[in-house]
Amino acid sequence: MFDRLYTPSVWSEMERLQREMNRLFNAFSPGWMRPAPCFPAVNVWANEEGQVVTAELPGVKMDDLDISVVNDTLTISGKRETAEPAGNGKYHRQERECGSFSRTISLPYPVDADKVEAVMEEGVLRITLPRAEADKPRKITVKSA
Amino acid sequence: MSKEIEVKKKQEIAPAEGQERARDRSLFVPLADIYETDDSVYVAADMPGVNENSVDITLDKNVLTIRGEVDAVAPQGYRPVYLEYGVGDYERKFVLSNEIDREKIEASVKDGVLSLKLPKVGPAIARKITVKKG
């Protein structure tokens, strides 16, 4: 009855899910993938000192990118231009989209705007946003009376 | 005002039943454009995180395979708080309908986009076949 060869596809789907979950937990525990509401999808990382935001923006030039920070709000906007192909031919498939984009993200901590660094490498944007000094946790020493 | 780019979820390739990949990484399908002119086929693929050393292109008969390895790791000393995309390798195969001049293939990677120029062999001969009524 339960011969694995004839098990319904539900099983393989379950196995796939399980594999996926294991991998996710191994790679990025305890994070969980959420659907991106708009372009570009971002990953946000944090520690007590600050946060890092990464986004995949292949084909976007640094000059076409605009990054702004106000307190704990980060806005990434820009455009991706079409590289005009040579000669007059035709597209067999066109999956890579061009156009403008703008995304605003609420960060875990307010940011020290002067110390924000953005690097674009191989189509991957990485923004390092140090936590504002005033927001950092303070160690309180308890004096003996 | 140009149109807004829509967000697309990265399409992941699951390993075949009972198989495991040598590299412990996810595998994604890169989004691609294919454009054909009279003398060449152009392929552009979005492969963020890939550079000229980590990309691998093979043309076996008329099957073009593009692969890219991404070794990006999580930022050191940070914990993930909000994740929307996965990072991993890329792979995609295309069956080309034209014969390609292998010696003249040009490939480059810039800003995470792989660009390929695949020149066709000889001049394109267009021949129309008329079907006669029997």
Side-chain angles (χ1 to χ4, degrees), chain A residues 23 34 42-44 46-47 54 56 59 80 86-87 89-90 92-97 99-100 103 122, chain B residues 3-5 8 10 12 26 32-37 46 49 51 77 79 81-85 92 111:
Chain A
R23 222 210 28 250
R34 297 165 211 218
V42 295
N43 283 350
V44 182
N47 63 16
T54 61
E56 292 185 326
R80 177 156 111 151
K90 64 168 183 184
H92 292 306
R93 59 173 79 226
Q94 198 168 9
E95 300 163 351
R96 302 170 59 244
E97 270 192 81
S100 61
R103 171 110 197 241
E122 290 148 7
Chain B
K3 80 173 178 74
E4 295 229 339
I5 300 178
K8 283 182 189 167
K10 284 173 90 175
E12 198 174 343
S26 306
D33 288 349
I34 299 182
Y35 183 80
E36 187 177 340
T37 61
D46 282 347
N51 60 32
R79 60 177 196 280
V81 278
Y82 187 86
L83 302 176
E84 289 177 345
Y85 70 88
R92 195 158 178 185
D111 301 330

Side-chain angles (χ1 to χ4, degrees), chain A residues 48 51 72 108-112 130-138:
Chain A
E48 282 186 0
Q51 49 235 323
D72 62 349
Y109 309 119
V111 174
D112 187 346
R131 190 171 180 178
E133 210 55 51
D135 190 61
K136 280 188 186 167
R138 251 160 257 271

